[in-house]
């Protein structure tokens, strides 16, 4: 195993956080280091897993004074691979690339053209900086073929892009205990849909809310797990649509498996994604899925045997999928989709396959 330094901002609470901590847990402790620019749930979780974590504390996200320390840390650590995650890490490494000998790798967790969606002038500036930084990266890991195509469309040579699908460690599904129903005051006839996603415009919470308003069925409940910059906006929208009694905001939670186990279906409504870990985690709990057609979703949901894939930004199509799933729930046939998905996903998208593929690529690209 090559000596590898993973770099990420540290403020992540969504899929990229889980991707990094579960991936690094697979490798020998003396071969990987995680460097963050701020403390948070990610660094805490990594330390709990026994991962070596280093902090280069920024005074703010715009603090560039750490660049000199970052360059020295990489040189003195004799790292062969520097593996970045996210726009901030990419930008900082691009500014010191000439000062390091390591090969620079990045994983593309989201569409770089949409990372700062609805960010106004600041968002457009950050997008431009991110796209400029990406031109300097040596090797890209794209977690779906669609993302590989997106990178190629940005002018990245195909030989620098490796498609490596996300994976999780599949465990024995947890038995539902009814705790979520008790917490939310629901009964056995209520249909529980869970969406695990940070509150960001790209995640499409508004699409699901519009679909629920269209269906207008009081027995259908939406559980939203995650925090983010538009949380208050989503709460306000739910109120305006008259859905407050059916939409439940749980914020950041660590008991995702338990929440999923007490749900009937997992949702994704993103405008763009790579290969969402949240859906794999739902599949691990034998939940069928409803997802927009983003990233590598159709590799996970290749047919309606496993769930529903609908067009992006289409509340009508999303409403039809929810209605179909609810009908199957009432008929007692929905759970069989979840069973089939679980067997398919654990066979094709394991964490070990992900870690082995990345390690093999490290060995191929490291400087001799």
């Amino acid at each position: 195993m090559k000596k590898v330094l993973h770099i990420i901002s540290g403020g992540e609470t969504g899929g990229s956080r889980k991707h990094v901590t579960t991936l690094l847990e697979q490798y020998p402790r003396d071969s990987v280091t995680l460097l963050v620019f701020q403390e948070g749930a990610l660094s805490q979780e990594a330390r709990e897993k026994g991962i070596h974590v280093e902090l280069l504390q920024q005074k703010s996200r715009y603090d560039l004074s750490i660049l000199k320390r970052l360059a020295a840390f990489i040189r003195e650590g004799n790292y062969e691979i520097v593996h970045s995650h996210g726009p901030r890490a990419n930008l900082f490494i691009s500014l010191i690339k000439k000062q390091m000998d390591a090969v620079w790798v990045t994983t593309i967790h989201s569409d770089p053209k949409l990372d700062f969606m609805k960010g106004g002038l600041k968002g457009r500036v950050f997008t431009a900086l991110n796209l400029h930084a990406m031109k300097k990266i040596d090797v890209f890991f794209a977690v779906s073929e669609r993302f590989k195509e997106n990178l190629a469309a940005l002018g990245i040579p195909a030989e620098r892009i490796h498609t490596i699908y996300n994976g999780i460690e599949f465990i024995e599904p947890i038995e539902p205990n009814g705790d979520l129903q008790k917490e939310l005051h629901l009964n056995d006839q209520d249909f529980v849909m869970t969406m695990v996603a940070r509150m960001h415009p790209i995640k499409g919470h508004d699409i699901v809310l519009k679909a629920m308003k269209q269906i207008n069925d009081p027995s259908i409940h939406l559980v939203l797990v995650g925090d983010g910059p538009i949380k208050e906006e989503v709460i306000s929208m739910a109120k305006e649509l008259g859905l407050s009694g059916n939409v439940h905001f749980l914020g950041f939670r660590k008991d995702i498996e338990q929440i999923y186990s007490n749900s009937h279906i997992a949702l994704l409504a993103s405008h763009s994604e790579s290969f969402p870990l949240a859906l794999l985690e739902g599949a691990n709990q034998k939940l069928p899925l409803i997802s927009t057609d983003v990233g590598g979703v159709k590799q996970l949901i290749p047919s309606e045997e496993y769930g529903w894939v609908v067009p992006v930004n289409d509340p009508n199509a999303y409403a039809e999928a929810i209605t179909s799933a609810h009908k199957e729930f009432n008929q007692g046939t929905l759970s069989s989709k979840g069973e089939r998905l679980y067997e398919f996903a654990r066979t094709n998208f394991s964490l070990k396959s992900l870690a082995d593929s990345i390690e093999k690529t490290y060995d191929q690209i490291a400087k001799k």
Side-chain angles (χ1 to χ4, degrees):
M1 176 72 179
K2 302 300 181 183
K3 191 173 184 184
V4 184
L5 175 66
H6 285 254
I7 303 179
I8 192 168
S9 72
E12 294 77 6
T13 58
S16 57
R17 169 192 61 83
K18 192 68 174 284
H19 172 91
V20 171
T21 57
T22 56
L23 174 64
L24 268 58
E25 192 180 19
Q26 305 305 302
Y27 299 128
R29 294 295 182 262
D30 59 353
S31 66
V32 294
T33 299
L34 175 63
L35 186 146
V36 298
F37 303 128
Q38 65 186 79
E39 294 284 13
L42 189 153
S43 55
Q44 178 183 346
E45 183 176 305
R47 290 191 181 97
E48 290 172 355
K49 292 177 178 291
I51 298 166
H52 178 201
V53 180
E54 292 282 348
L55 171 67
L56 285 185
Q57 183 70 57
Q58 286 184 282
K59 297 174 184 176
S60 74
R61 65 175 57 231
Y62 309 111
D63 175 19
L64 299 181
S65 67
I66 67 165
L67 292 179
K68 184 176 180 180
R69 286 185 289 144
L70 178 60
F73 186 91
I74 293 171
R75 287 196 308 272
E76 292 167 7
N78 295 314
Y79 293 100
E80 298 166 272
I81 304 281
V82 170
H83 190 152
S84 62
H85 305 264
R88 199 191 320 180
N90 288 347
L91 174 61
F92 288 178
I93 299 171
S94 74
L95 296 174
I96 64 164
K97 186 173 189 291
K98 292 182 179 179
Q99 303 175 51
M100 66 184 203
D101 293 326
V103 175
W104 179 13
V105 179
T106 193
T107 295
I108 302 299
H109 296 279
S110 57
D111 187 336
K113 301 189 299 300
L114 299 176
D115 279 337
F116 302 100
M117 183 180 176
K118 295 186 179 180
L121 176 59
K122 184 186 293 186
R124 291 194 293 273
V125 170
F126 287 163
T127 297
L129 288 172
N130 189 29
L131 293 175
H132 179 73
M134 289 175 62
K135 295 178 181 178
K136 300 182 181 181
I137 297 171
D138 297 315
V139 177
F140 295 80
F141 290 157
V143 295
S144 71
E145 282 297 322
R146 183 173 292 177
F147 266 41
K148 181 175 182 177
E149 293 167 3
N150 290 348
L151 289 172
L154 293 173
I156 306 298
E159 62 270 17
R160 289 163 57 188
I161 310 170
H162 299 257
T163 301
I164 300 179
Y165 289 107
N166 266 344
I168 64 169
E169 183 175 3
F170 280 85
I171 60 174
E172 190 65 28
I174 297 172
E175 287 296 321
N177 58 13
D179 282 357
L180 182 66
Q181 281 72 12
K182 293 175 186 175
E183 179 182 346
L184 303 180
H185 306 291
L186 306 180
N187 59 52
D188 292 341
Q189 286 72 48
D190 289 321
F191 182 52
V192 180
M193 311 184 300
T194 292
M195 180 171 168
V196 178
R198 61 194 170 100
M199 296 284 180
H200 185 282
I202 204 169
K203 296 298 183 179
H205 292 85
D206 58 320
I207 303 303
V208 183
L209 295 181
K210 290 174 183 176
M212 287 187 66
K213 178 62 176 178
Q214 183 175 321
I215 298 169
N216 194 29
D217 187 329
S219 70
I220 297 178
H221 288 259
L222 174 63
V223 175
L224 297 178
V225 181
D227 284 316
I230 66 165
K231 183 173 182 177
E232 293 305 317
E233 181 181 324
V234 178
I235 292 174
S236 295
M237 185 178 182
K239 289 180 180 178
E240 290 168 5
L241 294 175
L243 297 170
S244 295
N246 291 78
V247 181
H248 310 274
F249 294 84
L250 302 192
F252 174 72
R253 297 282 289 254
K254 289 187 176 182
D255 57 338
I256 302 298
E257 293 88 354
Q258 194 65 65
I259 292 171
Y260 271 145
S261 74
N262 286 289
S263 305
H264 302 115
I265 197 161
L267 307 184
L268 185 83
S270 299
H271 297 275
S272 175
E273 281 286 354
S274 50
F275 194 90
L277 288 177
L279 291 188
L280 283 176
E281 291 170 342
N284 191 181
Q285 297 306 318
K286 298 187 176 180
L287 292 185
L289 311 173
I290 299 176
S291 175
T292 44
D293 184 9
V294 290
V297 162
K298 281 189 173 177
Q299 275 70 50
L300 178 60
I301 315 172
S303 75
E304 285 198 6
E305 286 186 273
Y306 309 101
W308 293 262
V309 179
V310 301
V312 172
N313 198 26
D314 190 338
N316 294 333
Y318 216 101
E320 290 176 6
I322 292 174
T323 300
S324 179
H326 189 214
K327 182 179 179 181
E328 292 203 25
F329 167 72
N330 287 328
Q331 293 173 341
T333 59
L334 184 64
S335 60
S336 62
K337 283 186 187 294
E339 293 278 354
R340 286 192 293 270
L341 178 65
Y342 170 74
E343 295 299 334
F344 177 76
R346 72 170 183 167
T347 301
N348 292 280
F349 303 106
S350 71
L351 182 59
K352 185 179 187 305
S353 295
L354 168 67
D356 288 348
S357 296
I358 288 179
E359 183 174 358
K360 182 179 179 181
T361 308
Y362 283 161
D363 290 338
Q364 292 171 350
I365 65 177
K367 293 179 179 178
K368 304 301 182 184

